[in-house]
Amino acid sequence: MFNRDDYVSDGRWQNFLEVSKGFETPNIFIDLATIKQHFIQVKDSFPYAYFYYAIKANPGVPVIRMLDELGSNFDIASRYELDLVLSLGISPDRISYGNTIKKAADVEYFYSKGVRMFATDSKEDLKNIARYAPGSRVYVRILVENSSTADWPLSRKFGCHPDMAYDLLVLARDSGLTPYGISFHVGSQQRDIGQWNDAIAKTKYLFESLEQEEQIRLSMINMGGGFPAHYIQPTNELSDYASEITRYLHDDFGDDIPMIVFEPGRSLVGDSGILTSEVVLISRKNNTALQRWVYLDAGKFNGLIETLDESIKYPVITTKDGSKEGEVILAGPTCDSADIMYEDFKYRLPLDLKIGDKVYWLSTGAYTQTYASVGFNGFPPIQAYYITENGIEDAAGNKVE
């Protein structure tokens, strides 16, 4: 159904097949060389910007160590991610607490560890920051509309109306905090570059009105993530995103562009992963059914949660591609009727696919092992392995023989 070489080069594929032999399925192999290539590409595309890797996309220690060496900063969503990053010797001045939903105790904890940059989108959260992280820099996340063009929308739960953002930044100043900037997120896997134009225009309005009316001069725009990985639906190249977003910034801010921050996650690590699953069962629901049900040992609860509502459509290949194909419904191994990855979108797999055959999910480096359940039905979390220059490492950075 899919051409493997549209997603994975021959060299990378052969290397994956060699190093992954003998590992129990399901598993995910992450190629650090791909992540490095993507990080260098995004830096070169936005030479004026700062980058805070969104840890949640893939918190593997080998990934964090490499991005640290490449000069990345880090966007953190919890004290557990904070402890992980600090344990690797990363300075707290390279960390942003980007989660707007947090306990007062967590604000205090981050502050005690040296973090001084916090996101917010509500009055009560801002009050906690003022009390437990005095003098810190705050940036306010605004709502943007992105539900129809982002494969994984993010703006309904997070952010506030620009009018409220205005009030929060005034309150931040009056509470002894530093009003630092505005943030937004146009949605993960955003395929409409124009969404950045609308969000930047709203941000410009806030910059101008706060300076003119309140004498508050903001310093930073945090544009979050949104750049795509390579799944089934076509997207523009990163160079197109870069040229258009840069043009939008100059249209609104002229040559006086504020500090620009991006928080790439999916776009850095998504293409680096290959998830290997095995066919557990193939069945039909009646004697004349045209579609087969293909049950795999990987499903929504152990690696493929982003197939929820069939939002992310991964390229799927098998060891028997090239033979005659037929439509299938792809489902996972658990005793939950929701554990169906694709039923409406018609994947086609070889008719001679058998129990025990391997099914490979490409572009699965982001939001896979970290979304897996701890032990639903007793199935353990899917294991992730990292292909480094020196061999294979596990998620904790230990060498795997």
Side-chain angles (χ1 to χ4, degrees):
M1 183 174 179
F2 304 103
N3 293 320
R4 186 265 307 159
D5 52 6
D6 288 339
Y7 300 91
V8 182
S9 67
D10 288 339
R12 183 181 161 215
W13 179 249
Q14 293 304 320
N15 185 54
F16 157 74
L17 292 177
E18 178 63 29
V19 301
S20 65
K21 286 190 303 187
F23 284 83
E24 184 178 356
T25 65
N27 61 61
I28 305 169
F29 274 79
I30 308 293
D31 187 352
L32 290 189
T34 299
I35 301 174
K36 181 177 182 179
Q37 175 187 344
H38 286 193
F39 184 75
I40 292 172
Q41 182 184 21
V42 76
K43 281 186 67 176
D44 290 345
S45 298
F46 298 95
Y48 51 84
Y50 295 81
F51 298 93
Y52 284 69
Y53 170 58
I55 292 285
K56 61 184 179 289
N58 189 318
V61 168
V63 175
I64 298 171
R65 282 177 174 161
M66 184 184 69
L67 291 176
D68 175 31
E69 292 172 358
L70 293 172
S72 178
N73 302 303
F74 298 91
D75 169 55
I76 303 296
S78 72
R79 64 165 63 195
Y80 311 102
E81 289 183 346
L82 176 65
D83 289 342
L84 172 62
V85 170
L86 293 179
S87 73
L88 298 176
I90 295 167
S91 172
D93 63 1
R94 295 168 57 198
I95 292 171
S96 169
Y97 194 177
N99 193 348
T100 61
I101 304 167
K102 48 193 178 290
K103 298 178 180 179
D106 293 332
V107 174
E108 186 175 30
Y109 186 79
F110 270 70
Y111 187 78
S112 72
K113 295 297 184 178
V115 176
R116 295 294 183 268
M117 187 159 67
F118 295 81
T120 191
D121 63 3
S122 66
K123 183 180 292 187
E124 293 305 313
D125 182 60
L126 185 63
K127 288 179 179 178
N128 284 336
I129 297 172
R131 180 176 180 182
Y132 296 105
S136 293
R137 293 170 293 166
V138 293
Y139 57 98
V140 177
R141 181 165 174 171
I142 60 172
L143 285 165
V144 293
E145 299 300 327
N146 57 54
S147 58
S148 62
T149 55
D151 290 345
W152 200 263
L154 289 169
S155 199
R156 287 181 60 240
K157 182 178 178 181
F158 308 101
C160 62
H161 189 277
D163 288 348
M164 179 177 282
Y166 182 104
D167 294 339
L168 290 174
L169 287 161
V170 173
L171 179 60
R173 178 198 61 191
D174 296 344
S175 302
L177 297 167
T178 299
Y180 191 49
I182 300 293
S183 75
F184 58 79
H185 200 301
V186 297
S188 192
Q189 195 71 9
Q190 178 58 259
R191 288 174 281 114
D192 177 12
I193 304 177
Q195 292 291 330
W196 275 272
N197 191 24
D198 295 340
I200 291 169
K202 291 179 180 178
T203 301
K204 172 62 174 175
Y205 159 77
L206 284 167
F207 267 65
E208 282 190 340
S209 58
L210 282 163
E211 183 169 10
Q212 292 171 4
E213 299 170 20
E214 300 291 343
Q215 292 73 57
I216 294 175
R217 184 172 178 81
L218 301 177
S219 303
M220 182 268 287
I221 304 175
N222 183 328
M223 298 196 197
F227 303 138
H230 292 92
Y231 301 126
I232 291 178
Q233 291 101 326
T235 65
N236 288 289
E237 294 299 318
L238 181 61
S239 59
D240 297 321
Y241 285 81
S243 62
E244 289 298 284
I245 291 171
T246 301
R247 181 172 66 84
Y248 301 152
L249 285 168
H250 283 295
D251 286 347
D252 281 316
F253 289 91
D255 293 330
D256 189 22
I257 295 176
M259 175 184 174
I260 300 299
V261 167
F262 289 104
E263 296 172 348
R266 186 186 304 277
S267 63
L268 292 186
V269 299
D271 294 348
S272 70
I274 300 174
L275 187 154
T276 303
S277 60
E278 183 178 300
V279 177
V280 176
L281 181 69
I282 299 175
S283 71
R284 299 179 191 270
K285 295 303 183 183
N286 63 61
N287 291 332
T288 58
L290 296 176
Q291 290 183 334
R292 294 163 293 157
W293 284 71
V294 176
Y295 300 93
L296 304 172
D297 59 0
K300 278 185 178 174
F301 301 104
N302 59 339
L304 296 170
I305 190 60
E306 287 201 320
T307 62
L308 185 68
D309 296 328
E310 305 190 10
S311 297
I312 300 297
K313 297 178 179 63
Y314 298 101
V316 175
I317 64 174
T318 78
T319 53
K320 294 181 175 178
D321 282 6
S323 58
K324 189 174 181 180
E325 297 177 337
E327 289 185 355
V328 300
I329 297 169
L330 287 170
T334 64
C335 294
D336 192 307
S337 60
D339 194 9
I340 301 171
M341 288 81 81
Y342 302 113
E343 184 172 11
D344 294 327
F345 188 85
K346 304 305 182 187
Y347 276 73
R348 298 177 63 86
L349 294 182
L351 293 175
D352 58 350
L353 196 68
K354 303 296 183 186
I355 292 173
D357 285 344
K358 295 290 195 303
V359 176
Y360 301 101
W361 300 67
L362 309 182
S363 300
T364 46
Y367 303 109
T368 44
Q369 77 273 27
T370 52
Y371 263 144
S373 69
V374 173
F376 180 54
N377 274 178
F379 290 104
I382 192 168
Q383 294 298 304
Y385 303 98
Y386 296 79
I387 304 172
T388 75
E389 293 179 349
N390 301 314
I392 305 300
E393 296 181 4
D394 62 18
N398 300 310
K399 192 170 181 60
V400 177
E401 301 295 341

